Amino acid sequence: MKKHLFSTAIALSLLGATAMHAVAEDTFKIGYVDPLSGGGAAAGQIGLNQLKYIADEINGKGGVLGKQVEIIPYDNKLDPQVSLLQVQKAIDQGVRVIVQGNGSSVAAAVESFVTKFNSRNPGKEVVHINHAAIDPSLTNDNCSYWHFAFDANVNIKVEAMTNFMKANDAIKKVYLISQDYSFGHSVADAAAKKLGAEGSGIEVVGNEFVPLQKVTDFSPYIAKIQASGADSVMTANWGNDLQLLIKAAGDAGLGVNWYTFYAGLAGTPTAIKQAGLEDKVFQITEGVNNIDYQPMQEKVKDYISKHKDAPIYYPRLFNAMGMVFKAVEEANSEDPVKFVPKLEGMRYADFIDGKEGFMRKDDHQYFQTMYISGLGALGANQPFDEEGTGWGWKVAATVPVDETIVPTTCDMERPN
Amino acid sequence: MSDMTHTRPAGPPSGGGGFVATYGVWILAAIVLALLPQVFSSGLLISTMCLMGIMIIFALSYNMLLGQTGLLSFGHAVFFGLGGYLTAHAMNAARAAHAPLPLEVFPLAGGATGLVFGLIFGAVATRRSGTAFAMITLGIGELVSSSALLLHHVFGGEEGISLDRTRALHLFGVTFGPQEQVYYLIAGWGFISAAAMYAITRTPFGRICNAVRDNPDRASFIGYDTTTVRFIAFAMAGLFAGIAGGLVALNFEIVTSSAMGAAQSGTVVLMTFIGGVGNFAGPIIGAILVTYLQVMLSDITGAWQLYFGLLFIGMVMFAPTGIAGLLAMQAPLVRAGQFHRVLPWYVLALAPGLVALAGLSLVIEMCFQLTVNAPEGPQMSLAGIAFNATSPVPWLVAGVLMIAGFWGFRIAGRRALDAYGSALEAIRSPRSAQ
Amino acid sequence: MLEIVLISSLNGVLFGMLLFLMASGLTVIFSMMGVLNFAHASFYMLGAFFGFEISRHVGFWPGLVVAPVLVGMIGMLVERYGLRTVHKHGHVAELLFTFGLTFIIQELVQMIWGKLAVDYRVPPILDFPAFTIFSTEYPAYKIFELLTAIAIFLALLLVIKRTRIGLVVQASLSHPEMVGMLGHNVDRVFMLVFGVGAGLAAVAGVIAGPALVTQSNMAHSLGPILFVVVVVGGLGSLGGAFIASLLIGLLQTFAVASNASLADAFGELTGTGPLAAYLGDIWNVTVAQLSAVMPYLLLVLILIFRPRGLMGTRET
C-alpha cells in the first residue's frame, strides 16, 4: 500500500498528456497507418522514414496546391482492429488520404472499413493508398473504388517469377515452401499451377507449408529439401521465417538457388550474407537501387545521407505519393471524390527507372516494370549495398509492363 | 503451488456496500451511458467508447475467473474470438437465408458459442487449478489460435471474416450504419451483461466460488465439488466473453485471428489486474483505462511500451489491489465525512510526484529522440517547449526535476499515508464514534 | 528412409538441446522460487544483444562470460528492488510484474539497438562444417551448442544435488522460516537464484543469437514454448526439463518430416458446399503443418493425465 500514489500519478499524467496532443491546421494531411511497435515495427519505421522524406522534398518545392504536406503516423501494431480505430482517429483529425501497407489482414480490414465509411458518410470520403499488401483478393473479389494498390499483387509477381524460372533451362526441380496462411497459400497455389503445367520442363518436387512465425529450427525443412533433390526453392516466406530458413540452408550447405518475394525486407540481406549465399538468392520487386538510372540514384544517395537504416526499400511509396500529388494538382482539390477519378488510368514515370507504368481503372491495380534481382558483390555503377554487408541487389532480369498484366475478377461498385 | 492464484484477500465481492451497493448506482450508470455520446460526439471518441464497452464485458467475464474463483487463465481470448467468428458467420448465414433477424440478437450467437466452448474446454481445464490450470489454458489458447490459420474456410485465413451490420432486419428504422447506434447496442448489451454478472456474484453460487478461491480444501469438506464449481464458473465466463466477442464483430464488421491470440488474452489480464480483481468495479475501470492508453498512448510518444510497462509495474508493486482497491480504501473516510482531511495531503504528495514523472518522461523522450528519431536531429519539443536534446541543459533540468520531485514525493507521500492512517484511526476509535 | 530417420533424430536432438539451453534458467527460477518468469525471454534477448555488443569490440568469447554476468546482475537488481516487494502479494502479482518487465526491456532494446536485426556472427573458430551425413553438413557451432547445453545440465545437477548451496536453496522454497532461523539469508538466496536464472537465459542468448536472428522482437517471437518445456518436464525437476526438451525437439522434427494427412489415410473428400469445405480444411492438414502446435497438445495432455509432469515430484 506504500507509495500507492506513485502509480496513480503515472496514470494521471498520461491522461493529461494526451490532451495536449494537437495537430497542425491547414496542411495536406496524410495518415500513415502501419506498425511502429511490435513485430512489424522495422518495416513500418522504414516506410515512415521514406514517407517523411517524400513530404520534405515536396514541401521544399512549395507543397501541394500551395499547402504543406504533413505525414501523421498512426501505430496500428499490425492489428486489424487497432488499425480501424487509428483510421477513425485519422479521419477525425482531418486526414483524407490513408497510406497503409503491411499485412494483408490489415489491408483487407481497412479497405472494407473505408468503403463502408464512404458510403455511410457522403461528403467525408477518404481514400486508401495501399503500398505493400499484395493479397490478390484486394483487387479482385473484394476490390473497392476507394482502394489503390501500388505494389504488384501475388498473381503478377508469381506470373513474372515463374516465367523467368521457366526460361532458365538450368531449373529442373523446384521445391515450394511457404508460410501456412492465406498469402503463402495463394503464392504456392499459383506457382504450383504455373510451374507444374505441361511442357514447362520443371517438376515441382515439394509443396511445403511452414507454421507462421512459430518455427525456431528450420533444419528439418532443409533436410526435406535436400532429400527431394531440388535444384531451386521458391518461397513466399518473409521476416524471421525467411531469415532462419536461409541461415539453416547455409549451415547445412544446401546448394540451391532461392526465388523469393521478400528477401529485401529488413534483416534478410544480413542473414543471406551470414549464410554465405552469394548470387543464390533472388527476389522480385518493382526495382532496386542499383538500376542504372541517375535521377533515382541521386535521390537514394541523398536519402542515405539522412537515414542510415537502408537504401530506399519502398520505391512504390514514391510512385504512390507522386501520383496522389499529381492527381490532387490536376483535380485542383484535396477531396478524394474529385481526385480519385484522376488517379484511375493515370500513367506515371516510375521513380526507380523512369519507365512508364499505369493504374488500371478496372481494379485500381498499378502495373509497372518488374525486376528480378540477386544479392551479391557489387560491380560498376552499382553503388548501393544492403545493411553494411557489402552485398547489394543486382538486376538479373527485367519484366516489361505488358508482360505483367493479369486478368482481374473485380466488379467495381462506383459511386454515382 | 496451490496458492498460485491467491491474490490479496479480496473480501466479499463488491465490498458489500462500497461502490455499487444499491440500485441507484445502476440507474445512474444507465443515465450516464445514455448521455455519453451527447458529451463526447467525435467519431474517434464514440468508436473508443464502443471498444471500452466491449472490453468492460470481456474484463468482467475474466474477473469471474480470476477475482471470483481464483483461476488464472491465459487463454480467455479464445472465447472472445470464437464468439466473434460465430457471430460473423451467423450474420452472413442469416443474410444469405433472408432470415428476418434484427442485429440486436446476434451477440447471443457469440454468447452461445462462448458457452459451448467454455463447456468443452472447461471440462478439460478445470480438472486442475493453480499453475496447471493456467498452463492448460495457455496451451488451449495456442492450439485454438494456431488452428485459425490452418482452417481457412472456418476462420477466413489471414483476412478473417467480414460482415455488413447494416444488412440485418431494421427495427424502428435503426440501420446501425452510424457508429452512435452501435454504441447504444453495445451499451445496452454491456449494461445487461454487467448486471447479470453482478447478480451472479450475489447468488449462493457466487459465494461458493469465493470459497473455492480462498480455501478449496474447506469448500470440499463442507460438501462442494470444487471441480464442478470451477467448471460452471469457467463456462459462464466463456458465455460473457462470447457476448463481448459477438459485439466486437458487429462493431468492427470484421473478425480476424488476432481477436483470440495470446496478446488479447494478455491484455485482459492486464485490464483486470490494473483495475483491481477484488472489486466488481475494478475490471470496468481497468478496461476503460487500458483501452484508452492502447488507443491514445502511441500517438503521444513512440516509447509508449516503456510507459505502459512502467505504469503496469508501478501498479503491481505499489497498488496490487488495483485502482478500484485504492478508491475502495477511501470509502470509509468518505462515508464518515473525513475525506476532506486527507485530500490536501494527497494533492501535496501528488504534486512532487508529477514533477518527478515529468523529469522521467523528459529523460525517456530525449533518449528516444537521440536513438529512434535520430534522423530528425536533436531538435525536439515537449509540452510546447523546443530544445536541443544534445545540450546539457535539458538533461540537467530533467535530473533536478527527478531528484527533487522524488525527494518531495517521498516526504509528502509519507505524510499522506500518516494522514490516511490517523483519519482511519479517528473513525474507528470510540471517541469519534459518539 | 534410414536417411530421414537418422537426420531427423540428429536434428531433433540438436534442437532439443537448444531448447534446454534456453529453458534451463526458467526451470531454475520456476522450480526454486515458484515464479513463472515471463521476462525470461527478455533476459535471453538482453544476453544476445550484450553478447553482440561485446563481440563487436573484444570478440565472442569474452561476451560469453561477461554478458551473462551483466544480465545476472540486472536480474538480481530486479529481484531485490522489484520482485521482492511484489512477493508478499502472491504469485499472480509476481508473474504480472515480470510481464510488465517485458514491455520495458523490449522498448529499451529498441531504443539502444534499433528495430532491425543486428549482424551477430558465429565466431570464426567455430565457423566450419564439423561433419557431413548424407550430403547434409553439420556446422561445428551446433555441436558447441549441444555441448554447452549438456555442460549446463550437469553443472546445475551437481550444484543442486551435491552442494550445500543447492540444499539451502531447496529448503528455502519449502521451509523459508526454518532456513532463516538456521542463519541463512533467505532473501539473498532468492536474489542469487533469480540472478543465476537470468544469467543462464543470457548464456542461451549469447549462444543462440548468432545461430538465429538477433533482433528486438526475438523475445516475443520465441513465444511460450519454454513454459511448455518446464511444465511438461515437471516442476522442480531439472532432469524432467532435459527430457522434455529432447522429447519436444524430436517430436517437432519428426512431425516436419511427415506429409501424412487424413486425406492420405482415407482418400480425398468428395462433395461441395460450405460443410465439405470446412471438413476439407481438417482433412488436408498434414502432420508437418501441425508441428508447431504439437508441443501445446503435449502440454495439455500431460497436465490432464499426469499433472506432475514427466519427472516432477509434486503436483502443481
Side-chain angles (χ1 to χ4, degrees):
Chain A
M1 139 85 224
K2 218 169 114 191
K3 282 188 281 178
H4 64 268
L5 294 172
F6 174 71
S7 26
T8 324
I10 298 189
L12 282 174
S13 69
L14 288 173
L15 289 171
T18 50
M20 293 191 296
H21 184 62
V23 177
E25 288 303 313
D26 207 35
T27 49
F28 180 36
K29 297 182 182 69
I30 292 173
Y32 178 70
V33 182
D34 256 334
L36 297 170
S37 62
Q45 187 68 45
I46 291 174
L48 178 62
N49 290 348
Q50 289 180 200
L51 210 52
K52 283 185 171 169
Y53 177 82
I54 295 167
D56 287 346
E57 192 186 26
I58 190 105
N59 288 339
K61 293 178 190 160
V64 178
L65 294 179
K67 282 187 182 177
Q68 295 284 293
V69 174
E70 184 188 3
I71 307 294
I72 311 177
Y74 299 92
D75 180 7
N76 71 3
K77 296 143 199 165
L78 207 57
D79 179 283
Q81 290 175 1
V82 175
S83 305
L84 299 189
L85 279 171
Q86 296 291 35
V87 170
Q88 179 72 58
K89 191 189 289 171
I91 292 172
D92 276 12
Q93 292 177 346
V95 169
R96 302 190 74 176
V97 178
I98 305 281
V99 177
Q100 180 277 333
N102 286 294
S104 288
S105 60
V106 176
V110 171
E111 181 182 15
S112 155
F113 175 84
V114 164
T115 309
K116 285 170 190 156
F117 178 88
N118 289 352
S119 75
R120 290 169 196 170
N121 298 277
K124 292 184 180 171
E125 288 84 352
V126 292
V127 60
H128 175 200
I129 304 296
N130 165 11
H131 70 91
I134 62 171
D135 194 300
S137 73
L138 297 168
T139 48
N140 282 280
D141 294 347
N142 298 329
C143 67
S144 160
Y145 177 75
W146 303 104
H147 163 264
F148 289 88
F150 284 87
D151 196 2
N153 72 26
V154 168
N155 294 345
I156 299 169
K157 287 188 175 178
V158 172
E159 175 83 21
M161 185 71 107
T162 51
N163 283 341
F164 169 76
M165 292 169 78
K166 281 195 281 192
N168 185 342
D169 291 337
I171 300 177
K172 298 265 185 266
K173 290 180 168 181
V174 176
Y175 199 96
L176 303 174
I177 181 163
S178 312
Q179 286 151 325
D180 196 3
Y181 77 120
S182 332
F183 168 65
H185 277 270
S186 56
V187 169
D189 292 351
K193 209 159 82 189
K194 294 284 294 183
L195 292 175
E198 289 281 322
S200 70
I202 290 177
E203 188 192 348
V204 177
V205 291
N207 192 355
E208 187 80 42
F209 293 102
V210 181
L212 178 66
Q213 291 174 332
K214 290 240 182 337
V215 179
T216 311
D217 178 28
F218 272 91
S219 41
Y221 294 98
I222 299 298
K224 258 174 131 172
I225 296 171
Q226 187 87 286
S228 73
D231 54 49
S232 303
V233 177
M234 183 168 175
T235 177
N237 285 16
W238 49 263
N240 275 6
D241 284 343
L242 181 56
Q243 295 166 21
L244 291 172
L245 179 66
I246 295 231
K247 285 181 103 169
D251 282 349
L254 180 69
V256 301
N257 281 337
W258 296 84
Y259 298 89
T260 75
F261 292 79
Y262 285 115
L265 207 63
T268 313
T270 301
I272 297 170
K273 176 77 193 267
Q274 286 176 343
L277 298 178
E278 183 169 13
D279 294 321
K280 282 187 167 302
V281 181
F282 299 89
Q283 63 164 352
I284 179 159
T285 60
E286 74 277 24
V288 291
N289 298 294
N290 286 320
I291 292 171
D292 194 3
Y293 177 61
Q294 281 313 310
M296 175 267 295
Q297 291 206 350
E298 295 299 321
K299 250 182 217 163
V300 174
K301 280 175 190 156
D302 183 48
Y303 177 82
I304 293 175
S305 71
K306 289 171 183 143
H307 296 274
K308 287 165 195 69
D309 49 10
I312 286 174
Y313 177 66
Y314 294 118
R316 48 190 182 264
L317 263 179
F318 286 76
N319 298 341
M321 295 330 294
M323 288 173 72
V324 168
F325 297 152
K326 192 174 158 199
V328 169
E329 298 274 5
E330 279 178 15
N332 198 23
S333 166
E334 293 168 38
D335 185 352
V337 177
K338 304 240 173 63
F339 77 72
V340 161
K342 303 285 179 194
L343 266 178
E344 290 193 303
M346 181 184 277
R347 294 187 164 270
Y348 190 79
D350 281 345
F351 166 81
I352 201 81
D353 55 6
K355 293 178 185 163
E356 193 171 77
F358 73 96
M359 175 58 71
R360 185 159 71 183
K361 194 177 176 183
D362 304 339
D363 57 351
H364 292 185
Q365 171 68 52
Y366 188 64
F367 289 91
Q368 56 206 319
T369 309
M370 298 298 290
Y371 293 88
I372 290 158
S373 51
L375 190 73
L378 294 164
N381 266 339
Q382 294 173 330
F384 304 110
D385 72 331
E386 299 284 326
E387 304 177 350
T389 56
W391 289 2
W393 292 106
K394 303 172 291 184
V395 173
T398 307
V399 187
V401 183
D402 46 348
E403 285 177 28
T404 66
I405 294 171
V406 293
T408 176
T409 59
C410 173
D411 180 18
M412 193 172 282
E413 270 184 54
R414 289 165 189 279
N416 304 319
Chain B
M1 286 300 294
S2 63
D3 62 340
M4 174 72 212
T5 49
H6 278 198
T7 54
R8 284 169 68 95
S14 81
F19 275 117
V20 282
T22 55
Y23 291 115
V25 176
W26 291 94
I27 295 164
L28 189 72
I31 294 170
V32 169
L33 282 178
L35 289 180
L36 273 177
Q38 314 305 324
V39 183
F40 304 105
S41 55
S42 87
L44 174 66
L45 284 176
I46 291 187
S47 297
T48 309
M49 288 191 296
C50 286
L51 190 58
M52 284 174 179
I54 293 164
M55 286 304 156
I56 286 172
I57 307 177
F58 188 33
L60 280 175
S61 79
Y62 186 72
N63 206 32
M64 292 178 85
L65 297 178
L66 182 61
Q68 303 296 327
T69 322
L71 290 171
L72 177 69
S73 165
F74 288 127
H76 201 50
V78 162
F79 310 109
F80 184 71
L82 288 174
Y85 272 109
L86 264 291
T87 306
H89 279 302
M91 274 291 291
N92 291 337
R95 189 177 149 192
H98 303 287
L101 287 170
L103 191 76
E104 286 85 343
V105 304
F106 279 98
L108 281 178
T113 311
L115 181 64
V116 168
F117 281 97
L119 292 170
I120 297 171
F121 294 141
V124 176
T126 55
R127 292 167 62 179
R128 309 280 168 223
S129 62
T131 313
F133 172 84
M135 287 294 128
I136 293 178
T137 55
L138 182 104
I140 289 175
E142 281 290 325
L143 289 176
V144 173
S145 59
S146 301
S147 63
L149 290 174
L150 285 175
L151 309 178
H152 300 271
H153 289 93
V154 185
F155 295 104
E158 193 197 8
E159 287 169 18
I161 303 286
S162 293
L163 58 103
D164 189 337
R165 66 187 177 217
T166 60
R167 300 292 176 89
L169 180 71
H170 297 164
L171 287 183
F172 314 113
V174 179
T175 60
F176 289 107
Q179 190 66 32
E180 201 178 319
Q181 294 176 352
V182 180
Y183 167 82
Y184 283 111
L185 176 73
I186 291 170
W189 272 101
F191 189 80
I192 295 168
S193 306
M197 282 186 268
Y198 182 71
I200 290 171
T201 66
R202 313 295 284 179
T203 59
F205 173 72
R207 303 298 195 201
I208 298 163
C209 285
N210 295 162
V212 170
R213 171 195 65 194
D214 295 332
N215 198 333
D217 292 335
R218 276 183 70 181
S220 61
F221 277 142
I222 54 173
Y224 294 108
D225 181 7
T226 52
T227 304
T228 310
V229 173
R230 285 196 295 263
F231 177 61
I232 297 173
F234 193 83
M236 286 205 293
L239 165 76
F240 288 105
I243 291 177
L247 287 170
V248 93
L250 301 181
N251 183 46
F252 289 111
E253 303 186 274
I254 186 170
V255 194
T256 60
S257 58
S258 70
M260 51 190 186
Q264 188 75 271
S265 290
T267 304
V268 76
V269 184
L270 291 189
M271 286 174 176
T272 312
F273 198 85
I274 286 184
V277 291
N279 196 301
F280 188 78
I284 301 178
I285 298 170
I288 292 173
L289 178 70
V290 172
T291 306
Y292 184 80
L293 291 180
Q294 279 182 335
V295 175
M296 301 297 178
L297 201 55
S298 59
D299 296 351
I300 319 166
T301 167
W304 67 272
Q305 289 199 79
L306 191 54
Y307 289 95
F308 196 71
L310 283 174
L311 165 74
F312 189 61
I313 283 193
M315 290 298 299
V316 175
M317 283 180 72
F318 302 120
T321 54
I323 296 170
L326 292 183
L327 294 176
M329 276 170 57
Q330 316 304 329
L333 298 186
V334 175
R335 263 203 303 278
Q338 297 294 311
F339 188 61
H340 64 275
R341 277 213 201 166
V342 290
L343 188 64
W345 292 106
Y346 289 170
V347 176
L348 207 63
L350 214 57
L354 287 176
V355 170
L357 277 175
L360 180 66
S361 64
L362 184 58
V363 169
I364 293 174
E365 292 305 316
M366 283 193 293
C367 288
F368 195 76
Q369 185 74 20
L370 291 180
T371 53
V372 180
N373 282 346
E376 291 174 16
Q379 278 299 331
M380 61 183 289
S381 76
L382 208 64
I385 306 165
F387 55 93
N388 188 326
T390 48
S391 84
V393 180
W395 289 93
L396 216 62
V397 171
V400 169
L401 286 178
M402 262 165 72
I403 293 168
F406 188 68
W407 179 72
F409 178 70
R410 277 191 73 121
I411 294 176
R414 212 167 287 145
R415 290 280 174 81
L417 280 180
D418 290 346
Y420 174 79
S422 55
L424 209 60
E425 192 89 349
I427 299 169
R428 285 185 183 151
S429 73
R431 248 185 321 128
S432 68
Q434 50 184 287
Chain C
M1 193 61 207
L2 177 72
E3 179 183 346
I4 289 179
V5 170
L6 195 68
I7 290 201
S8 294
S9 312
L10 197 54
N11 284 332
V13 169
L14 286 170
F15 178 50
M17 284 302 96
L18 179 64
L19 278 179
F20 178 76
L21 192 61
M22 293 173 173
S24 59
L26 188 70
T27 313
V28 166
I29 293 176
F30 199 7
S31 57
M32 297 185 187
M33 297 175 69
V35 176
L36 262 177
N37 181 16
F38 268 69
H40 183 77
S42 302
F43 287 126
Y44 156 77
M45 173 163 76
L46 271 185
F49 275 94
F50 282 8
F52 160 71
E53 198 60 48
I54 296 167
S55 78
R56 275 213 296 200
H57 302 292
V58 286
F60 177 85
W61 301 105
L64 185 57
V65 179
V66 178
V69 171
L70 287 177
V71 176
M73 271 154 47
I74 293 175
M76 286 200 259
L77 290 178
V78 165
E79 202 283 333
R80 172 66 186 81
Y81 294 102
L83 215 49
R84 195 176 296 175
T85 318
V86 178
H87 184 69
K88 59 179 174 290
H89 306 310
H91 284 307
V92 175
E94 285 179 323
L95 179 157
L96 292 175
F97 174 85
T98 61
F99 192 52
L101 204 59
T102 61
F103 287 94
I104 295 176
I105 294 178
Q106 160 104 25
E107 189 67 53
L108 288 177
V109 166
Q110 267 183 17
M111 279 166 75
I112 298 171
W113 287 283
K115 294 167 181 171
L116 303 180
V118 297
D119 187 13
Y120 189 12
R121 298 281 180 91
V122 170
I125 194 169
L126 287 175
D127 198 9
F128 63 92
F131 56 87
T132 305
I133 300 178
F134 293 111
S135 77
T136 297
E137 293 172 3
Y138 283 87
Y141 195 72
K142 282 202 170 182
I143 311 305
F144 169 65
E145 277 174 12
L146 176 88
L147 295 177
T148 317
I150 294 173
I152 285 180
F153 172 61
L154 294 177
L156 282 176
L157 216 56
L158 211 65
V159 169
I160 292 172
K161 300 269 187 218
R162 294 270 181 265
T163 66
R164 267 180 67 83
I165 306 172
L167 282 177
V168 172
V169 166
Q170 285 187 313
S172 298
L173 181 65
S174 49
H175 302 98
E177 292 86 4
M178 192 53 140
V179 173
M181 275 181 238
L182 287 173
H184 298 285
N185 187 336
V186 176
D187 280 347
R188 193 177 296 163
V189 169
F190 278 0
M191 190 167 93
L192 197 72
V193 167
F194 200 82
V196 168
L200 284 173
V203 172
V206 175
I207 292 177
L212 306 175
V213 178
T214 305
Q215 195 174 358
S216 62
N217 66 0
M218 67 192 287
H220 184 253
S221 59
L222 198 58
I225 183 83
L226 300 183
F227 290 123
V228 180
V229 170
V230 172
V231 174
V232 167
L235 286 178
S237 167
L238 204 61
F242 190 80
I243 301 291
S245 306
L246 272 181
L247 185 66
I248 291 170
L250 288 168
L251 184 72
Q252 278 200 305
T253 309
F254 273 94
V256 168
S258 165
N259 276 341
S261 66
L262 289 174
D264 287 345
F266 303 105
E268 291 289 335
L269 274 186
T270 50
T272 49
L275 216 62
Y278 294 161
L279 204 59
D281 280 343
I282 301 171
W283 217 247
N284 292 315
V285 167
T286 64
V287 177
Q289 283 173 279
L290 292 174
S291 60
V293 300
M294 281 189 176
Y296 299 97
L297 203 60
L298 183 71
L299 171 80
V300 173
L301 292 177
I302 284 272
L303 284 172
I304 294 170
F305 296 110
R306 197 180 158 81
R308 69 181 63 168
L310 289 177
M311 294 175 71
T313 45
R314 57 200 148 96
E315 291 211 1
T316 53

